[in-house]
Amino acid sequence: MDLADLNPSALMRQTLLGASRNTQLRTAVEKAPMSRDVVKRFVAGQDTDAAVRVASELVQSDRRVTIDYLGEDTLDPEQASATREAYLELLAALSEAGLTAEGQVEVSLKLSALGQFLGRDGHKMALENARAICQSAANSGTTVTLDMEDHTTTDPTLAALAELRQDWPWVGVALQAYLYRTEQDCRDLAHEGSRVRLCKGAYKQPESVAYQDKGDVDKSFVRCLKVLIEGEGYPMVASHDPRLVEIATVLADKARRAPDSYEFQMLHGIRPDEQLRLAADGHALRVYLPYGDDWYGYLVRRMAERPANLTFFLRGLATRG
Ligand SMILES: Cc1cc2nc3c(=O)[nH]c(=O)nc-3n(C[C@H](O)[C@H](O)[C@H](O)COP(=O)(O)OP(=O)(O)OC[C@H]3O[C@@H](n4cnc5c(N)ncnc54)[C@H](O)[C@@H]3O)c2cc1C
């Protein structure tokens, strides 16, 4: 490759996404004393109480919430069970706090944290764990959305979605605009009752399956958005990108969608003023709120998306010596 072809921000993004799976780096960053403070901006805290407290604050400011118990790529059945139990405890606490009515606060799941990669029985185990969580969400009057991970998990996640929807038709899923296949997946899922979260996609993916250029990802996002907004389902527009938020608003107006027939979603700690503006303008706005100890992969993906997030992290490091 010619050096002139190198785009520094793309290169940094690739490097950071590689770092998100580097075990040695992970240990060093997790042990660094400043990490906890920096993490606070993006993560509710370590335990159920912290998640419920921050969710309650968000709801008081007219925002809805989806809570993610941090963790991914579990290769230990006990860890997968512990993740399921954490969700059950969380849903009980949310219900007790009166936060689950009408899906105000729901939960997001990563099937890899529930055992998806645990050998031949992985799919079955993840599905059983997800079933327990869906039943608990149903008892509490709220919903569940499946996060989407790297492209090798797309088919198994959509298969799990189809199975879960037989019992709980409100189970939603995230689709990633950077994958070539996603426009078709949107068409398949743009039916009545179907909840689809459209995001750009946060993992390092090969050219064989995904657009590499940001402009191409954005164009794909708009094509997918049109399919979802003109369809019969419930689109969840997950982006901080002002142009995409504006386009979604225009498309929803054109399709004469009622304000409660779609929603915007943003990550906790990112563009909070814009979150409040959208909510004040009468849009449904949901915040994705992670909590738990296992924040490393999540945080490194946030830094890969935006150099300013990395600067924030490094500044924290510098001021702590
Ligand atoms: C609710 C939610 C759920 C998600 N779930 C998944 C999932 O299941 N699977 C998955 O792969 N990915 C998921 N993601 C991550 C997503 O794929 C993107 O990686 C992430 O949202 C960044 O993309 P973006 O659309 O915000 O645009 P970017 O291309 O990162 O940013 C576009 C523009 O947005 C503005 N912006 C972005 N960040 C900031 C900031 N910190 N401050 C000010 N302006 C900013 C800037 O104008 C920037 O130019 C999710 C994202 C959200 C919001």
Side-chain angles (χ1 to χ4, degrees), residues 23-55:
T23 319
Q24 275 175 313
L25 195 58
R26 177 192 189 113
T27 311
V29 171
E30 282 179 350
K31 285 194 177 144
M34 56 74 213
S35 291
R36 191 146 298 171
D37 289 350
V38 178
V39 167
K40 255 196 211 156
R41 175 179 157 188
F42 300 102
V43 173
Q46 286 177 286
D47 55 19
T48 305
D49 285 352
V52 173
R53 180 172 32 79
V54 178

Side-chain angles (χ1 to χ4, degrees), residues 136-198:
S136 168
N139 296 343
S140 307
T142 192
T143 50
V144 172
T145 300
L146 305 181
D147 283 351
M148 194 58 86
E149 303 178 66
D150 74 50
H151 73 97
T152 62
T153 68
T154 309
D155 279 326
T157 302
L158 293 180
L161 174 78
E163 292 187 57
L164 293 169
R165 288 193 85 245
Q166 287 178 16
D167 291 321
W168 302 284
W170 39 253
V171 177
V173 73
L175 293 178
Q176 299 152 319
Y178 63 18
L179 295 182
Y180 305 137
R181 60 177 286 167
T182 296
E183 199 179 335
Q184 184 55 46
D185 287 335
C186 286
R187 278 195 203 97
D188 295 343
L189 288 173
H191 54 78
E192 203 181 333
S194 170
R195 296 168 62 252
V196 176
R197 172 199 298 158
L198 181 64

Side-chain angles (χ1 to χ4, degrees), residues 13 41-42 66 110 146-149 174 176 178 197 199-203 214 218 221 238-242 244 265-267 269-271 286-288 301-302 305-306 308-309:
R13 181 166 182 274
R41 175 179 157 188
F42 300 102
T66 183
K110 281 188 176 49
L146 305 181
D147 283 351
M148 194 58 86
E149 303 178 66
Q176 299 152 319
Y178 63 18
R197 172 199 298 158
C199 62
K200 289 189 186 178
Y203 297 77
K214 265 179 165 291
D218 289 358
F221 195 105
S239 177
H240 314 97
D241 193 326
L244 295 177
Q265 297 192 343
M266 293 191 184
L267 302 176
I270 300 191
R271 303 199 73 205
R286 192 178 296 275
V287 176
Y288 184 100
R301 285 197 293 278
R302 300 295 74 85
E305 277 152 20
R306 191 167 163 84
N309 291 342

